Amino acid sequence: MRFVIIGAGRVGLRTARVLREEGHDVTLLERDERKVERARDQEFTVVQGDGSHEDRLEEAGIADADAVGALTGDLNTNFAACMIAKHHGARTIMRIDEDYREDIYRKYADEVDEIVYPERLGAIGAKNALLGGDIRAIADIAQNLQIVELSVTEASPVKGYTISELQLPADATVLAFGKEGQSVGIPNPDESLELGDRLVVLADFDVLGDVRQIIVGDAGGRAATLTGGA
């Protein structure tokens, strides 16, 4: 696939490296001469210029791009680049750095295909390291919603029960299930929950602690609530 990345800074250059390592064709568009030279030293094709200008985007090959990633630290540049890319029929991904008000965030989200939030993604990684291996944050869906993957442990109150017997808080729902060592898929209500099995759950931040206690277990935690349980 062919990609145009606007911004050869920390986020843009790392993204370009990952895409190139996977065999994709990547062109970078960057106005800062120092960053341009650094990217060229790493043997990237780089167009120097402002990512909000259509002529620079056309020189970078936007007309043939499958997707455009506007990954600079300037929100206005990113948004302008995405609007031009959208006109050319490319998939648009826009970076946002600050925690804007929800209404502003939604305004931009409605105009582009995807919004990426590097600080939030970094925070998810740090949180995963802190929480350990039995719970892993996958994505923040909104300010109050997160998708997490939890593993059934020896201490899990639900170990041995079926998915249909699992009763999570009202603000949480099971999205996918996977046996240990297998990929996750659509949950089967009759599937038994055994050690190492994984559940992907969408939950409100306020009930994540309860969800963890129910699925993962905690020596000092409350007992899980089960339909038909003892």
Side-chain angles (χ1 to χ4, degrees), residues 68-138:
V68 171
L71 306 179
T72 77
D74 186 314
L75 178 61
N76 292 326
T77 295
N78 292 345
F79 185 68
C82 284
M83 294 303 94
I84 296 169
K86 186 176 181 180
H87 175 73
H88 283 269
R91 175 173 168 78
T92 54
I93 294 85
M94 187 176 78
R95 170 184 172 180
I96 286 183
D97 284 330
E98 298 179 16
D99 197 2
Y100 289 92
R101 298 195 316 270
E102 184 70 16
D103 59 332
I104 296 177
Y105 178 90
R106 289 184 180 278
K107 172 188 172 183
Y108 286 113
D110 289 342
E111 297 293 336
V112 302
D113 292 305
E114 191 92 25
I115 283 182
V116 293
Y117 202 146
E119 286 77 8
R120 183 175 293 175
L121 293 174
I124 287 176
K127 178 164 56 177
N128 288 338
L130 289 166
L131 291 172
D134 54 17
I135 178 170
R136 182 171 68 91
I138 297 175

Side-chain angles (χ1 to χ4, degrees), residues 170-228:
D171 293 331
T173 186
V174 175
L175 299 179
F177 171 77
K179 301 298 292 183
E180 184 179 17
Q182 300 178 17
S183 59
V184 297
I186 302 300
N188 180 342
D190 297 326
E191 197 79 61
S192 177
L193 298 170
E194 304 297 342
L195 180 65
D197 291 350
R198 290 162 296 137
L199 287 157
V200 177
V201 177
L202 172 66
D204 189 286
F205 285 118
D206 291 341
V207 300
L208 278 176
D210 293 333
V211 171
R212 184 185 187 280
Q213 287 181 338
I214 291 169
I215 296 174
V216 175
D218 190 323
R222 297 190 299 271
T225 302
L226 301 167
T227 60

